[in-house]
Amino acid sequence: ADEPKSLPDYAAWKERNALIVHSTNTMETQRGAIGNGVITASDRLFVRNNLPAPPASVTDNPDVWEVRIEGVKNPRTLTVGDLKQMGVTTVASVLQCSGNGRAFFPHGAGGTQWSVGAAGCIMWTGVPLKDVVEALGGPVEGARYITSTGGETLPDGLDPKTVIVERSVPTRAMESALLAWEMNDEPLTHTHGGPLRMVVPGYYGVNNVKYVKNVAFTENQTDAKIQASGYRIRDVGVKGAPDQPSMWEMNVKSWVTAPLESGRAGRNMIYGVAFGGTVALEKVDVSVDGGKTWKQARFLGPDLGPYAWRPFVLAADLTAGEHRIVSRATDVEGNTQPEGRVENERGYGHNGWSDHGVTVAIS
Ligand code: MSS
């Protein structure tokens, strides 16, 4: 077996025992470390970087970080200090990588083999994007996308378009998007995109551009590779292309977080987390017989709004033997998790309830 990897320097402050370190750029929360709280502790949150993170010094004086706002009537360069004068809000939302659940695809989808832990629920504080845009005269006519650019230094010798983290989301995301400088009530660390991050509640992780240095209202999506052909849903064996669905709004999803391996016969508390992406949750059903029969679970803790996840619990009497425990969430629009996977080349967007279950030995 491989040696357990240690945390890279830029994430050295993380709780090593709560994480699976896949690589220098990818770490996920252990399923057993997700817990029953509504908010994921910062030191347990997963990390995913497509490029090496900028040096920690970028957050030494966060208020001087500059972001250029374009595609508005009065384009301007604003500092984080300026943004802090323009408005403030706090939103709880799930940050989840597009490839969370990739490890369950049998065709061996390329990329980090995330199980369930490339996700967490975070309190983001910053200025609503729409306040900034209104102050600058509103978007130009014909704008259909919000295009955000990451502030990493790009590696030499490569075509910038092939490596730059630049993502476009439809302008409908403007209602909820924010430019965030705090995570869980603390200044945003460079590990998670400080000094400033685009947060698009309910959208897959990749759209939440870290160290954001440019935000543009554009007629077209960026032609950066990460947008044009990356993060696109297509059949196994097919190359990515701009006409395939992009990883934008997240689908409804849940998974069990305890028990995970074994338990005693009798009353057991089955815990998990569930979320609806951009749509609030209606309910979560749990089955202890692999999906033959279901019972509605109870939500735990406060409801922090449609973009947050809801921890849930079901008290179940378990007999001795093996139990396949699965959960299935339904949102208020009636969307419910499918049983199976939608097979796709890169293993994106997996919300099938069957693969996400756990087999527990009860004695
Ligand atoms: N941003 C930038 N700038 N860079 C990079 O790399 N990545 C992505 C996002 N953003 C990036 C960015 C991804 S892809 C994800 S998930 C996220 O981020 C993560 O986060 P954190 O904080 O956890 O690390 Mo998949 O869909």
Side-chain angles (χ1 to χ4, degrees):
D2 291 341
E3 281 283 297
K5 297 186 183 79
S6 52
L7 291 166
D9 285 348
Y10 76 97
W13 57 278
K14 293 263 167 181
E15 178 54 50
R16 174 67 186 87
N17 296 328
L19 297 166
I20 301 165
V21 180
H22 291 288
S23 73
T24 314
N25 288 333
T26 50
M27 289 144 256
E28 76 171 284
T29 316
Q30 304 251 13
R31 193 168 183 139
I34 292 171
N36 313 318
V38 185
I39 297 302
T40 304
S42 302
D43 61 1
R44 293 174 174 223
L45 180 65
F46 82 103
V47 181
R48 197 277 186 258
N49 273 76
N50 300 59
L51 283 173
S57 58
V58 292
T59 53
D60 284 352
N61 189 359
D63 285 2
V64 305
W65 178 268
E66 292 181 340
V67 60
R68 174 90 189 147
I69 315 285
E70 291 173 340
V72 290
K73 305 264 157 58
N74 306 303
R76 262 186 74 185
T77 300
L78 298 165
T79 63
V80 170
D82 296 331
L83 293 173
K84 286 180 176 170
Q85 311 289 313
M86 298 176 84
V88 67
T89 188
T90 298
V91 179
S93 80
V94 172
L95 182 72
Q96 179 188 217
C97 184
S98 310
N100 198 28
R102 177 178 289 137
F104 302 121
F105 285 86
H107 73 279
T112 303
Q113 296 303 297
W114 306 110
S115 168
V116 295
C121 185
I122 296 299
M123 300 275 287
W124 304 105
T125 296
V127 61
L129 180 62
K130 65 170 187 294
D131 290 1
V132 177
V133 170
E134 266 165 35
L136 303 187
V140 292
E141 221 174 292
R144 293 190 298 147
Y145 298 98
I146 308 164
T147 299
S148 307
T149 312
E152 288 106 332
T153 307
L154 301 180
D156 281 337
L158 291 172
D159 174 1
K161 290 279 174 205
T162 64
V163 284
I164 197 164
V165 177
E166 186 169 87
R167 287 285 301 176
S168 302
V169 295
T171 44
R172 62 178 178 267
M174 206 190 7
E175 277 317 298
S176 58
L178 62 152
L179 287 165
W181 53 77
E182 272 180 25
M183 182 175 117
N184 292 344
D185 283 342
E186 281 173 339
L188 190 54
T189 57
H190 78 300
T191 322
H192 293 293
L196 192 69
R197 181 172 197 167
M198 174 62 77
V199 172
V200 190
Y203 280 59
Y204 284 100
V206 66
N207 303 292
N208 296 259
V209 173
K210 308 198 239 188
Y211 345 101
V212 63
K213 66 165 191 194
N214 204 91
V215 176
F217 286 80
T218 53
E219 192 184 329
N220 296 309
Q221 297 177 36
T222 167
D223 60 357
K225 183 168 176 246
I226 197 171
Q227 179 83 23
S229 61
Y231 297 82
R232 299 273 175 183
I233 293 262
R234 70 269 191 179
D235 288 345
V236 175
V238 173
K239 282 203 176 130
D243 62 342
Q244 301 152 352
S246 191
M247 298 309 288
W248 285 334
E249 287 97 341
M250 295 191 287
N251 54 26
V252 61
K253 188 167 178 179
S254 70
W255 57 85
V256 166
T257 56
L260 296 181
E261 272 156 30
S262 58
R264 303 298 264 166
R267 172 81 21 138
N268 276 262
M269 295 299 186
I270 298 169
Y271 293 98
V273 289
F275 54 95
T278 56
V279 183
L281 270 191
E282 172 75 27
K283 62 164 184 169
V284 179
D285 297 306
V286 169
S287 171
V288 297
D289 55 13
K292 286 194 208 77
T293 60
W294 298 87
K295 273 194 181 144
Q296 194 173 330
R298 197 183 268 268
F299 289 131
L300 279 169
D303 180 352
L304 295 185
Y307 310 114
W309 71 22
R310 306 255 11 221
F312 62 83
V313 66
L314 178 77
D317 293 313
L318 300 181
T319 51
E322 263 197 2
H323 290 265
R324 181 73 181 164
I325 307 180
V326 289
S327 64
R328 186 184 63 193
T330 304
D331 70 24
V332 294
E333 290 177 359
N335 301 301
T336 194
Q337 291 180 249
E339 177 173 359
R341 294 174 294 273
V342 177
E343 304 295 349
N344 69 91
E345 172 66 13
R346 295 308 309 271
Y348 290 138
H350 191 354
N351 71 338
W353 56 256
S354 181
D355 284 348
H356 286 85
V358 291
T359 301
V360 178
I362 299 295
S363 55

